[in-house]
Amino acid sequence: MFEHIEAYPGDPILTLNENFQKDPRQNKVNLSIGIYFDEDGRLPVMQAVREAEAAILNDPGPKPYLPMAGFAPYRDAVQGLVFGQQCPARAQGRIATVQTLGGSGALKVGADFIKRYFPQARVWVSDPSWENHRFIFERAGLTVNTYPYYDEATGGLRFDAMLAGIDALPRRSVVLLHACCHNPTGVDLDHAQWEQLIAVLQKRELLPFVDMAYQGFGAGLDDDAFAVRELANRGVPSLVANSFSKNFSLYGERCGGLHVICESAIEAERVLGQLTGSVRSNYSNPPTHGAKIVTRVLTTPELTLAWQSELSAMCQRIARMRLAIHDGLLEHVRGEALSRYIKQRGMFTYTGLTADQVERLREAHGVYILRSGRMCVAGLNEKNVGPVTEAIAKVLASAA
Ligand code: LMR
C-alpha cells in the first residue's frame, strides 16, 4: 500500500534542530533555529507569562471547545496589538481575525483561503525567504515564484529591483512580505520604502500577505507593525499572519492570528465566516491554554508592561551579541561581510558562509547554522560567542 511513498528529505530548519539535539558533543552551539535563548543558553519563560499562567492554573475551569474562530477576548487583544488600539479599520469592523496555530497555522489558513478564492493567483516571495513559506503555499496548491530582495554584495536590500519586480506582477498576484526582522536575512524596508511599495501594491491591485513573526524584535512593537498598520490605514485589502512564539517565548503553545483587512464590515463578516469554515475542516478549533496566557498579559496593564520590558531586554541582549561577534571577527572578515552582523536586524544574520563552510562549522566545531548561511544570533551568549567566532575564523582560514 505504501511502497510508493518516498522518504521525507527532512526540513532545512526543524530537522537540523533535531540533529543538533542528537549531537553528543558538549561544546555544540545551536544557532540554527529561530529561537531566543537567554544568557545561560536556556529557553526563557517570561515573568509576565509565568504570572498569567499561575493565575489561570489557580482558577481552573472547564475546558470546552473554543469557537472555531478562537477565543474572542484573544482575537480582540491580538488585533489591538497588531493594528494598534486606535486603528480606524479595527473600529469600523473591517478586520476579520481568527486565532491560529502559531504563524505557520495562519499562513496555512490564509493559503487555503487564497487557493479557494483566488485560484489563478501566483504567490511571490522574497529571494530568499523563510523556507516554509514556499512549502506552505505549494502544499496548498499554489505556484510560488520569487521577487528580488537581498543583495549579497552589500548585505542589504535590492529595493529598486524589488519594486520594479513587484510593479510588473499581474493584477491580484499574492505578494508575501515580512513585516520586520526579515527571515532569513535580517534586512528590512524603512518607512519611506514601505510607503513606495504600498503605493505600487495598491496601483497594481496586488494582494499583500504580510508575515509578522518577530513583532518587537526590530525597532519596537509599534514600529515593527508599521507596514501592517499602513496597509490597514490606506484600506489596502491584505492578509496578515502574526505569531507569539518568539515575542512571548511561547513556541510550543502555538499562538498566532490571521487577519484579513477588508473594504467593509459586511465583507469582513463573510471573510471571517469562510476562515472559520477553513479552521473547522482542518482542525475544528484551536487550543485554549496559550491563548488564555496571551490574553491575560495583553489585557492586564501591569503584565503588559512587564512583558514589554522583558522583550526589550531580550532585544538589547541580542544587540550586545551582534556587537560581540562583530568585534570578534574584526581580524578575519572585512567590509560588508562584517558590518552585516550589526546592520541586520532581529534574530538573524545572513552570514554569507557557503554550504561547505556551514558543513565544516558543524562537523569540525559543533556550531550549527542553516545551510543557507543564516545564523540565529539570539542563540549566542557571553560563553559561546568566543568559540563560535574562533570556529568561523578557522573555517574561513582553511578556505583561503
Ligand atoms: C525559524 O525560522 O527558524 C523559526 O521560525 C522556526 C521554524 O518553524 O522554522
Side-chain angles (χ1 to χ4, degrees), residues 13-14 33-34 130 183 214 246 348 374:
I13 301 174
L14 298 188
I33 192 162
W130 182 49
N183 180 3
Y214 296 88
K246 332 277 175 176
F348 306 118
R374 187 193 84 173

PDB file of all heavy atoms in Angstrom, residues 13-14 33-34 130 183 214 246 348 374, ligand 1:
ATOM      1  N   ILE A  13      15.236  23.497   8.570  1.00  0.00           N
ATOM      2  CA  ILE A  13      15.401  24.119   9.901  1.00  0.00           C
ATOM      3  C   ILE A  13      15.104  23.101  11.010  1.00  0.00           C
ATOM      4  O   ILE A  13      15.952  22.815  11.863  1.00  0.00           O
ATOM      5  CB  ILE A  13      14.481  25.349  10.048  1.00  0.00           C
ATOM      6  CG1 ILE A  13      14.812  26.389   8.961  1.00  0.00           C
ATOM      7  CG2 ILE A  13      14.616  25.951  11.446  1.00  0.00           C
ATOM      8  CD1 ILE A  13      13.884  27.587   8.914  1.00  0.00           C
ATOM      9  N   LEU A  14      13.904  22.530  10.976  1.00  0.00           N
ATOM     10  CA  LEU A  14      13.493  21.683  12.111  1.00  0.00           C
ATOM     11  C   LEU A  14      14.279  20.377  12.179  1.00  0.00           C
ATOM     12  O   LEU A  14      14.602  19.895  13.268  1.00  0.00           O
ATOM     13  CB  LEU A  14      11.984  21.410  12.051  1.00  0.00           C
ATOM     14  CG  LEU A  14      11.096  22.663  12.162  1.00  0.00           C
ATOM     15  CD1 LEU A  14       9.624  22.281  12.293  1.00  0.00           C
ATOM     16  CD2 LEU A  14      11.496  23.547  13.336  1.00  0.00           C
ATOM     17  N   ILE A  33      17.930  27.216  14.595  1.00  0.00           N
ATOM     18  CA  ILE A  33      16.500  27.554  14.625  1.00  0.00           C
ATOM     19  C   ILE A  33      16.277  28.957  15.190  1.00  0.00           C
ATOM     20  O   ILE A  33      17.062  29.438  16.016  1.00  0.00           O
ATOM     21  CB  ILE A  33      15.733  26.488  15.444  1.00  0.00           C
ATOM     22  CG1 ILE A  33      14.232  26.635  15.252  1.00  0.00           C
ATOM     23  CG2 ILE A  33      16.126  26.526  16.925  1.00  0.00           C
ATOM     24  CD1 ILE A  33      13.451  25.391  15.654  1.00  0.00           C
ATOM     25  N   GLY A  34      15.213  29.596  14.751  1.00  0.00           N
ATOM     26  CA  GLY A  34      14.893  30.940  15.229  1.00  0.00           C
ATOM     27  C   GLY A  34      14.240  30.909  16.588  1.00  0.00           C
ATOM     28  O   GLY A  34      13.021  31.076  16.720  1.00  0.00           O
ATOM     29  N   TRP A 130      11.889  32.659   4.202  1.00  0.00           N
ATOM     30  CA  TRP A 130      11.798  31.509   5.122  1.00  0.00           C
ATOM     31  C   TRP A 130      11.390  30.288   4.296  1.00  0.00           C
ATOM     32  O   TRP A 130      10.423  30.363   3.529  1.00  0.00           O
ATOM     33  CB  TRP A 130      10.753  31.835   6.187  1.00  0.00           C
ATOM     34  CG  TRP A 130      10.536  30.811   7.236  1.00  0.00           C
ATOM     35  CD1 TRP A 130      11.475  30.172   7.981  1.00  0.00           C
ATOM     36  CD2 TRP A 130       9.261  30.328   7.690  1.00  0.00           C
ATOM     37  NE1 TRP A 130      10.870  29.332   8.881  1.00  0.00           N
ATOM     38  CE2 TRP A 130       9.516  29.403   8.720  1.00  0.00           C
ATOM     39  CE3 TRP A 130       7.934  30.582   7.339  1.00  0.00           C
ATOM     40  CZ2 TRP A 130       8.500  28.735   9.396  1.00  0.00           C
ATOM     41  CZ3 TRP A 130       6.925  29.935   8.005  1.00  0.00           C
ATOM     42  CH2 TRP A 130       7.205  29.015   9.023  1.00  0.00           C
ATOM     43  N   ASN A 183      13.245  37.156   7.682  1.00  0.00           N
ATOM     44  CA  ASN A 183      13.792  35.815   7.879  1.00  0.00           C
ATOM     45  C   ASN A 183      14.038  35.206   6.502  1.00  0.00           C
ATOM     46  O   ASN A 183      13.075  34.991   5.776  1.00  0.00           O
ATOM     47  CB  ASN A 183      12.762  34.981   8.667  1.00  0.00           C
ATOM     48  CG  ASN A 183      13.220  33.567   8.939  1.00  0.00           C
ATOM     49  OD1 ASN A 183      14.323  33.180   8.600  1.00  0.00           O
ATOM     50  ND2 ASN A 183      12.340  32.776   9.550  1.00  0.00           N
ATOM     51  N   TYR A 214       7.977  38.363  14.155  1.00  0.00           N
ATOM     52  CA  TYR A 214       9.004  38.882  15.077  1.00  0.00           C
ATOM     53  C   TYR A 214       8.643  40.265  15.609  1.00  0.00           C
ATOM     54  O   TYR A 214       9.542  41.069  15.868  1.00  0.00           O
ATOM     55  CB  TYR A 214      10.371  38.905  14.366  1.00  0.00           C
ATOM     56  CG  TYR A 214      10.833  37.519  13.996  1.00  0.00           C
ATOM     57  CD1 TYR A 214      10.472  36.931  12.791  1.00  0.00           C
ATOM     58  CD2 TYR A 214      11.598  36.774  14.892  1.00  0.00           C
ATOM     59  CE1 TYR A 214      10.861  35.639  12.472  1.00  0.00           C
ATOM     60  CE2 TYR A 214      11.993  35.480  14.589  1.00  0.00           C
ATOM     61  CZ  TYR A 214      11.619  34.923  13.377  1.00  0.00           C
ATOM     62  OH  TYR A 214      12.002  33.645  13.071  1.00  0.00           O
ATOM     63  N   LYS A 246       7.854  33.800  19.320  1.00  0.00           N
ATOM     64  CA  LYS A 246       9.118  34.442  19.688  1.00  0.00           C
ATOM     65  C   LYS A 246       8.909  35.523  20.738  1.00  0.00           C
ATOM     66  O   LYS A 246       9.619  35.557  21.734  1.00  0.00           O
ATOM     67  CB  LYS A 246       9.783  35.076  18.464  1.00  0.00           C
ATOM     68  CG  LYS A 246       9.485  34.429  17.135  1.00  0.00           C
ATOM     69  CD  LYS A 246      10.335  33.236  16.848  1.00  0.00           C
ATOM     70  CE  LYS A 246       9.860  32.592  15.549  1.00  0.00           C
ATOM     71  NZ  LYS A 246      10.664  31.496  15.122  1.00  0.00           N
ATOM     72  N   PHE A 348      18.233  37.166  13.101  1.00  0.00           N
ATOM     73  CA  PHE A 348      19.103  36.503  12.126  1.00  0.00           C
ATOM     74  C   PHE A 348      20.142  37.419  11.490  1.00  0.00           C
ATOM     75  O   PHE A 348      19.904  38.592  11.270  1.00  0.00           O
ATOM     76  CB  PHE A 348      18.261  35.889  11.002  1.00  0.00           C
ATOM     77  CG  PHE A 348      17.197  34.979  11.520  1.00  0.00           C
ATOM     78  CD1 PHE A 348      15.861  35.250  11.309  1.00  0.00           C
ATOM     79  CD2 PHE A 348      17.538  33.851  12.267  1.00  0.00           C
ATOM     80  CE1 PHE A 348      14.870  34.415  11.816  1.00  0.00           C
ATOM     81  CE2 PHE A 348      16.561  33.012  12.774  1.00  0.00           C
ATOM     82  CZ  PHE A 348      15.220  33.303  12.544  1.00  0.00           C
ATOM     83  N   ARG A 374      22.300  31.274   7.212  1.00  0.00           N
ATOM     84  CA  ARG A 374      21.564  32.032   8.225  1.00  0.00           C
ATOM     85  C   ARG A 374      22.015  31.642   9.626  1.00  0.00           C
ATOM     86  O   ARG A 374      22.032  30.461   9.968  1.00  0.00           O
ATOM     87  CB  ARG A 374      20.053  31.778   8.095  1.00  0.00           C
ATOM     88  CG  ARG A 374      19.240  32.675   9.021  1.00  0.00           C
ATOM     89  CD  ARG A 374      17.795  32.233   9.138  1.00  0.00           C
ATOM     90  NE  ARG A 374      17.616  31.190  10.130  1.00  0.00           N
ATOM     91  CZ  ARG A 374      16.452  30.713  10.524  1.00  0.00           C
ATOM     92  NH1 ARG A 374      15.338  31.161   9.992  1.00  0.00           N
ATOM     93  NH2 ARG A 374      16.371  29.754  11.437  1.00  0.00           N
TER      94      ARG A 374
HETATM   95  C1  LMR B   1      12.882  29.608  12.115  1.00  0.00           C
HETATM   96  O1  LMR B   1      12.817  30.257  11.072  1.00  0.00           O
HETATM   97  O2  LMR B   1      13.910  29.042  12.482  1.00  0.00           O
HETATM   98  C2  LMR B   1      11.678  29.516  13.014  1.00  0.00           C
HETATM   99  O3  LMR B   1      10.664  30.310  12.509  1.00  0.00           O
HETATM  100  C3  LMR B   1      11.270  28.125  13.317  1.00  0.00           C
HETATM  101  C4  LMR B   1      10.615  27.436  12.164  1.00  0.00           C
HETATM  102  O4  LMR B   1       9.500  26.951  12.341  1.00  0.00           O
HETATM  103  O5  LMR B   1      11.200  27.357  11.073  1.00  0.00           O
END
